[in-house]
Amino acid sequence: MKKFFLMMISAMMILLLTTCSNSDAAVGDKSTTEEVSGKKNLVAYFSCTGNTKTLAQNVAGAIGADLYEIKPAVPYTSKDLDYQDETSRSTLEQRDENSRPALADKNLNMTQYETIIIAYPIWWGIEPKIIDTFVESYNFSGKTIIPVCTSGGSDIRASEDHLKNLVSSANWKRGKLFSRNASGTEIKSWFDGLK
């Protein structure tokens, strides 16, 4: 009887060790596949009123990307965004080609991303100057950048051209103006069409 129990315990241990070994191999295979297949996608966004944040969340969800908020060191107030006030912060920044509002952090690990979608609102016909700060703060060499934006009436083209001039080392794909409530199906169809 003792011999029978010892054989059963030995068989169970062999089975358990074999199962663990196979499951470790499967995990190893998965990480190897991820390494071989490429790096991740990122949606980096700047939003003051929430419109672009909603779009960025929809884009990240539709394409399976990480989400990163571009935050100013000094947050914008509603007074800063008063387009009617010639002395408001946003008006003064947008008029100054050299304006680069400070970022709250510059600690994004960009090396893990292959494709970066930059989402922003259009201010005075182009991207907010904090987007210029962001693209000049990281090395985008060899990476694919795709701009997307929200706007009350302006097109994306002027901002897209301006950003391409700031970061010529990246592989730029044609951007798109979306409504903040763009559907996941619409976004995925557009993104897949860029490949």
Side-chain angles (χ1 to χ4, degrees):
M1 189 73 143
K2 265 186 182 180
K3 200 173 187 182
F4 175 75
F5 281 119
L6 284 174
M7 286 177 45
M8 288 298 289
I9 290 173
S10 296
M12 287 174 58
M13 290 196 60
I14 291 170
L15 182 63
L16 181 62
L17 289 172
T18 304
T19 304
C20 287
S21 172
N22 287 341
S23 102
D24 287 346
V27 170
D29 290 345
K30 182 179 177 189
S31 63
T32 303
T33 302
E34 286 174 0
E35 288 170 15
V36 170
S37 67
K39 298 180 183 179
K40 301 187 289 183
N41 297 328
L42 173 71
V43 176
Y45 74 94
F46 169 70
S47 183
C48 283
T49 63
N51 291 332
T52 307
K53 179 179 182 178
T54 300
L55 171 63
Q57 291 170 332
N58 292 346
V59 171
I63 68 169
D66 289 347
L67 195 60
Y68 174 79
E69 183 177 3
I70 300 166
K71 296 180 184 178
V74 178
Y76 290 87
T77 66
S78 56
K79 187 176 179 180
D80 292 336
L81 301 175
D82 184 354
Y83 303 123
Q84 306 303 318
D85 182 357
E86 296 292 317
T87 63
S88 73
R89 175 182 171 191
S90 57
T91 301
L92 295 175
E93 286 176 358
Q94 291 304 105
R95 285 185 178 161
D96 181 0
E97 181 58 37
N98 297 314
S99 176
R100 296 296 185 269
L103 297 170
D105 74 75
K106 294 182 184 177
N107 300 319
L108 176 61
N109 179 4
M110 198 63 74
T111 59
Q112 62 186 316
Y113 299 107
E114 183 174 54
T115 300
I116 298 95
I117 293 94
I118 302 177
Y120 53 88
I122 296 290
W123 287 2
W124 289 265
I126 60 170
E127 76 284 354
K129 294 298 182 179
I130 195 162
I131 296 298
D132 297 354
T133 307
F134 176 76
V135 300
E136 291 176 343
S137 297
Y138 293 95
N139 180 2
F140 291 98
S141 295
K143 298 191 182 294
T144 298
I145 302 180
I146 310 165
V148 297
C149 68
T150 56
S151 175
S154 298
D155 188 47
I156 192 173
R157 298 299 167 238
S159 66
E160 191 172 32
D161 292 342
H162 187 251
L163 288 169
K164 284 180 186 178
N165 287 332
L166 293 178
V167 186
S168 59
S169 62
N171 172 28
W172 286 88
K173 296 282 187 183
R174 178 65 73 183
K176 186 163 175 64
L177 170 70
F178 284 103
S179 73
R180 74 179 186 137
N181 294 318
S183 72
T185 304
E186 176 188 359
I187 292 165
K188 183 82 166 73
S189 175
W190 161 78
F191 184 75
D192 289 346
L194 294 174
K195 296 177 181 176

